[in-house]
Each structure stands twice: as structure tokens, then as C-alpha cells.
Amino acid sequence: MRPDSPALLTDHYELTMLQAAIRAGMHERRCVFETFTRRLPAGRRYGILAGTGRFLEALEKFTFDDQQLAFLEEQRVVDGPTLDYLSDFRFSGSIRGYREGEAFFPHSPVLQVEAPFAEACVLETLLLSILNFDSAVASAASRMTGAAGDRPCLEMGSRRAHEEAAVSAARAAAIAGFAGTSNLEAGRRYGINTIGTSAHAFTLLFNDEVSAFRAQLDSLGLDTTLLVDTYDVEQAVRTAVDLAGTELGAVRLDSGDLVAQAFAVRDLLDTLGNRDTKITVTSDLDEYAIAGLAAAPVDSYGVGTRLVTGSGAPTSSMVYKMVARQDANGDLASVAKRSQGKGSIGGAKHAGRRRDRKGTAIAEAIALDPALLEADDFRPLMHTLVADGEVLPGATGPDGVRAATERHRQSTQELPRAIRRLSEGEPALPTEFLDH
């Protein structure tokens, strides 16, 4: 049974660090942590931030209940003073970051946490597990909806993911422009349109295809989508039209050469007078397959496995690094990791997207001094999401998904056309450090 509090969805060392910091009297030292990725997956030209709303929902429930504290005590994970601290834990800090649905690039400070070390430290694993997965799915989904153009994409990957990951993937896909999901829990939690009709098993249940189609039409109406490749596609299409007439909503193709079949089925439907009957295709689609179907007479795409696994990039490789800490004067002083190949840039950042006179983005700009980003050609990217421990309204639940979907639409429209190229290349925007 999943606990209501996400506090133990974390790594052991988050709490051992906390214990040592408490013992040293350093746990209240104010710090700034930033989430960013050092590079995009190979060949990707942009990423899409997703999961922010889910993280904020989790943050509101982030406390340590009696059962969790008892486990930590029984397993001797932490000592008594640390248990006492955790028993009253509530996040009191502030969080700024990119709006969910925004495009990001290498070193974009997509989420910035300012809080006492103890509070910021214990959020790391939960924050990264949510943002890394959701952003990977949203980034893949954005490439797919970009390849699909005006044709809708439908998320159908629940059976290829952990049951909770399936809900998260459906949410991330919706943010990146998918028109619906097969996952009912995602529909319930986040107000996403749910879709679905029948699988091959339904056809196989009946003694013949005629009986199966008739049962579905009687139950769901003539506007339903009939799966026509259980046996013989041509015969199935003829049977569907015989039963439903010209009001048949759609047919679905799930196997074989989808391009060739789509042309053949479209010709057959038109010949039979069903010019308004649509064709939807499924079967291990990804952005490349969708692009390959661009010239085919297809009306919508159902995407599953490749979507929920990030289409070859199952993580966004985001990290969470301390960039500033309180000094003896009470000010925040820059700190940075110097590890070879894993360095970070110190200081609490501000970010803006530089645009040309036509409004097209030309660079991701990062600065320590916000005044450097006040020119008219910059669009500010970072916004307050949590103030003094309180999550600001509008970023969670169904409203958050709707806002993130619109942000994705606006953000991708602003980017150069290079983002639609599926061939390998450099990020669509360079990252500029204005004061480094």
C-alpha cells in the first residue's frame, strides 16, 4: 500500500547527511540548490520540462508520519535527534523555476530551491525522480506531436510501465500536446480526455468478426472505432461498412506495413462511400514512424511503448546541485562543484530567452545579476512557485496540466524550426552565461 506521504521515496544517504548536519549544527544554514541538465540526450535539440506540478503536489504532503519514523528508528537509519527533527518536518523555503511545459536546454536552471540545508537536502531524490521521468516522456511526446502536425496523438502506454509511472506518463504526454490517454486514473486526477474501444481479444471472444463488430456497434454506437486487423483487413473493413454504413466513426490498424495498409484502407473506404470514416494507426510508433506516415492517409496515432520509455532517452539526466550557501554575514555566497566532467557553476541563477525582432528565440541566457536580463529582447523564464513553504495556486491538479499544455504550445512556437528536425544535431539554442 502506497503511503500518503512521499517522504521515504528517497535515498538512504539523504537522511544520513541530514543527521551529520544536525550533529554539526549546520542543518539550518540557508542554501540554494538548482536542478539542471548538463547536456541533452544525443541528437536531441530541446527538452520539455514536466513533472513540476506533480512535485509540488508531493511537496504539500511531504511530512514524516509515525509509521515512517518507526521504520527509520527500527532500522537505525538515523539517531534520536534526527528523528525528533523529522517528526516536525515542514518545508518552509521558496522555490523558483521554469513553468511546466517550458522548453529547456543544457544548464537551464529549471528549478531552484532556497531553504535551510536540512529542508533542501531531503527533497533531492523525490524531485529528481519526478522531473527526470516526466521530462523524458514530455520531451519524447513533443517530438511526436511535432512530427504529427495537425493529426492528434493518443497515449496508450499504460501496460508498458509501472502502474504509477503510467499515470505520470499520460500526464506528461498531455502537456506535450497528446489529445487523449487510455489511462483512466490520469483522466480522473488531471482532467485528461480518455479514449479507447476494444482490443483483439474482444473480436476473438466471438465466433466470427461480424458478431464482434455488431456487439461493439450496438454498445458504443456507430461513431466507434473498429479494430480491423484481427484476421483479414479488407474483409473486416467491408464487414464494418456493411454493419455501420457511412456513419462508421473510424477503423484502427495495429500491425503490418501501416503506410501501405493505410492507403489501401482509405481507397476501400472511399470506394464504399465512407469518405468521413477515419483511420487511426497503432503498433510501436515513435516520432520517426509518425514522420514516415506523414504522407499516408492517417487521421490519428496511438503511441505506447516508445512514449512511456522516452523514445530512447528514458531519463533527462537532471541533477540537483548546491550553488550557494549562507556566509558569516548572512548573505548567500556562491559555491560550485569542480569535479572533472561534473562541474557546476556557482551562484543563484536567473534565466531569460533571448529573441530576435520576429519573436523567434535565439539563445538561452543565464545570469547571476537579473538586471542583465531586463532588456526587451529577453523573456523571463523563472517564476516563483513556492513562497515561504506555501505552494502558489495554478501549478497543480487539472489546472496545472492545462496551463502547462498551453506553455508547451507557446514555448515550442517560439523556438526555431530546427526543433522539428529528427536528424541528429546540436541543441536548437545555445546557452549563454552573461556574467561568466
Side-chain angles (χ1 to χ4, degrees), residues 41 44 48 50 104 130-142 172 306-311 313-318:
R44 295 285 178 92
I48 294 296
F104 68 85
I130 292 174
L131 264 59
N132 267 315
F133 176 77
D134 290 32
S135 298
V137 174
S139 298
S142 183
R306 297 290 288 175
L307 174 63
V308 301
T309 56
S311 195
T315 178
S316 302
S317 298
M318 289 183 180

Side-chain angles (χ1 to χ4, degrees), residues 156-205:
M156 300 178 175
S158 291
R159 288 169 291 173
R160 299 295 186 267
H162 180 279
E163 66 271 18
E164 282 296 328
V167 180
S168 305
R171 181 184 181 281
I175 287 170
F178 270 58
T181 177
S182 65
N183 190 286
L184 290 174
E185 182 61 18
R188 185 189 72 84
R189 287 188 201 175
Y190 298 111
I192 302 169
N193 178 51
T194 60
I195 48 90
T197 51
S198 68
H200 293 101
F202 182 79
T203 302
L204 295 170
L205 170 66

Side-chain angles (χ1 to χ4, degrees), residues 159 196-206 212-213 216 220 225-230 252 254:
R159 288 169 291 173
T197 51
S198 68
H200 293 101
F202 182 79
T203 302
L204 295 170
L205 170 66
F206 293 82
F213 284 2
Q216 183 174 329
L220 300 180
T225 299
L226 295 175
L227 181 57
V228 294
D229 70 341
T230 304
R252 177 162 74 98
D254 187 54

